[in-house]
Amino acid sequence: MAEAVAPRPASTILLLRDSTDAKEIEVFMMVRHYEIDFNSGALVFPGGSVDKGDKEIIAKSELYSGGEGLDEATLSFRIAAIRETFEESGILLARPKGSQALVDAKRASEIEAAHRADLCDGKISFLKVLSDNGMVLALDELVPYAHWITPEGMPKRFDTWFFLAAAPPEQVGAHDGKESTDSIWISPREALEGGESGRFKLPFPTTRNLIRLGKQASVKAALDDSRGKSVVTVTPVMTRNNGGRQLRIPLEAGYDGEVFEVGSVG
């Protein structure tokens, strides 16, 4: 019997903005490179695994705000979420030291141009990027939204926290051309329609979170609705039934159902 694979801690941010006509919410998403070994070619939110450097930042409390009362594991998920989002989109959820306002788009762009490629290539640490540029991570901008753990029996498993955050003003973001090949600001409705038509490949958790997010009319409504809510952990359970496959998730997690048909058994 194969040895059970422990899930790897990971974080994702749903970066939100109101559409120009203010009728729908929009979220930043990227198309994963087709050669990536996890979710290749899929339309996803920026994110990735917690790494050792994220935990090193925890010891430097001057490099983040909004971490009061949070344990080390929770802090590492939040720090990783902001780092991965910066690596994958160039969007930086941070404030200049001593400021109450998020870093402006011009300064964020300068930091991105100077350090993003080296950070992605492991040539510089996120801790050094923050220290050298006088930045403080805005952990308080992240609102916990969902917690998914890859089902047992899968070759790669992730223990992923999803956070909501309002995109910093005028930071529009762009894919890195390596891990992702395209990026887009898109309404949940349009992303889901693309999944139905075959324009986009949407992973199961992404679909569920888009459907849930699409019920919110604005960024403020989405953040207010999730702030302070308890998050129910979702570990989908797969069953085979009449030649097909079903995934079961907890009804109390607040998604659009409990049992989902996910295609025939190959």
Side-chain angles (χ1 to χ4, degrees):
M1 192 171 172
E3 196 174 319
V5 178
R8 186 187 305 172
S11 299
T12 289
I13 297 184
L14 283 64
L15 283 166
L16 308 177
R17 72 181 189 187
D18 293 315
S19 62
T20 49
D21 60 10
K23 287 183 179 172
E24 286 184 295
I25 202 167
E26 290 182 336
V27 60
F28 184 85
M29 300 189 75
M30 308 172 313
V31 177
R32 300 273 290 174
H33 195 283
Y34 71 94
E35 289 181 340
I36 293 282
D37 63 353
F38 186 77
N39 280 339
S40 61
L43 185 69
V44 296
F45 312 114
S49 298
V50 175
D51 70 19
K52 190 162 66 79
D54 300 323
K55 295 175 180 176
E56 288 168 359
I57 290 173
I58 293 172
K60 305 270 188 181
S61 58
E62 70 276 11
L63 294 180
Y64 55 89
S65 62
E68 299 79 13
L70 301 180
D71 61 27
E72 185 173 315
T74 305
L75 284 170
S76 64
F77 277 114
R78 291 191 181 222
I79 292 166
I82 296 179
R83 174 188 53 75
E84 281 284 345
T85 296
F86 178 65
E87 287 183 10
E88 296 199 338
S89 73
I91 293 174
L92 182 58
L93 281 161
R95 299 182 180 94
K97 200 165 284 184
S99 172
Q100 296 301 307
L102 290 172
V103 59
D104 64 56
K106 180 175 180 291
R107 182 73 184 110
S109 179
E110 291 168 355
I111 295 170
E112 186 263 347
H115 303 296
R116 183 181 172 194
D118 284 348
L119 183 62
C120 290
D121 290 342
K123 295 176 181 173
I124 190 172
S125 68
F126 196 37
L127 189 156
K128 184 164 173 56
V129 172
L130 297 171
S131 300
D132 289 358
N133 291 279
M135 288 291 133
V136 178
L137 294 178
L139 302 188
D140 49 305
E141 290 288 313
L142 303 184
V143 177
Y145 188 61
H147 182 211
W148 285 66
I149 300 175
T150 312
E152 291 183 13
M154 302 294 282
K156 276 205 166 192
R157 300 185 66 214
F158 293 92
D159 175 344
T160 306
W161 273 93
F162 293 74
F163 298 96
L164 298 184
E170 295 177 25
Q171 288 195 48
V172 294
H175 53 285
D176 62 7
K178 294 178 182 176
E179 286 197 20
S180 54
T181 56
D182 198 6
S183 54
I184 188 172
W185 282 97
I186 191 169
S187 70
R189 173 191 55 78
E190 189 183 352
L192 290 163
E193 286 173 358
E196 288 283 333
S197 70
R199 177 186 172 199
F200 301 128
K201 176 182 166 186
L202 293 176
F204 180 75
T206 306
T207 299
R208 305 277 73 79
N209 282 308
L210 284 168
I211 290 172
R212 187 171 151 202
L213 185 63
K215 295 175 182 173
Q216 304 297 334
S218 68
V219 174
K220 183 180 185 303
L223 295 174
D224 287 349
D225 182 63
S226 291
R227 203 172 267 118
K229 255 190 187 174
S230 61
V231 174
V232 175
T233 299
V234 177
T235 306
V237 175
M238 183 178 290
T239 55
R240 299 179 182 222
N241 185 28
N242 298 327
R245 293 183 302 168
Q246 290 181 333
L247 281 181
R248 182 180 293 273
I249 65 175
L251 193 58
E252 60 272 22
Y255 287 100
D256 52 316
E258 184 178 14
V259 178
F260 301 87
E261 303 293 334
V262 290
S264 60
V265 177

